[in-house]
Amino acid sequence: MKATGATEAWLEVPFVRSSVTPIAAPEGCEGTWHKYVISQGDNEITGLRAGTLTEVMQHVDGLTERLNERRVGKQKHK
């Protein structure tokens, strides 16, 4: 399957960590929780994660890195 112009344009836009903010623990959960947002242009991935700010930022940065590795891999297979 060949990538369209729109798909090729999105492949050039990297994923970035947009924010990590503390939130109240979800119902039935305890501890410190954070909401994170990873963006790629207008697209956003939003998630919740338990842990310290440092732990959550490390998780989100690792996730962002893996998403970008997948994005770059798709560019190489043109």
Side-chain angles (χ1 to χ4, degrees):
M1 177 164 31
K2 187 174 182 178
T4 65
T7 300
E8 289 175 357
W10 278 113
L11 290 175
E12 294 177 13
V13 178
F15 289 92
V16 294
R17 173 178 30 104
S18 296
S19 64
V20 177
T21 55
I23 61 165
E27 190 174 330
C29 297
E30 296 180 3
T32 305
W33 283 76
H34 293 83
K35 173 183 173 183
Y36 63 85
V37 179
I38 298 171
S39 300
Q40 183 194 33
D42 293 336
N43 295 326
E44 290 186 343
I45 300 168
T46 303
L48 305 176
R49 183 85 178 180
T52 67
L53 177 61
T54 300
E55 291 169 339
V56 174
M57 288 179 67
Q58 288 175 343
H59 168 76
V60 173
D61 288 346
L63 180 55
T64 302
E65 184 178 323
R66 289 188 302 278
L67 288 167
N68 281 316
E69 287 171 356
R70 289 180 57 190
R71 181 185 59 81
V72 171
K74 288 183 180 182
Q75 286 180 324
K76 290 181 181 177
H77 292 13
K78 286 184 183 179

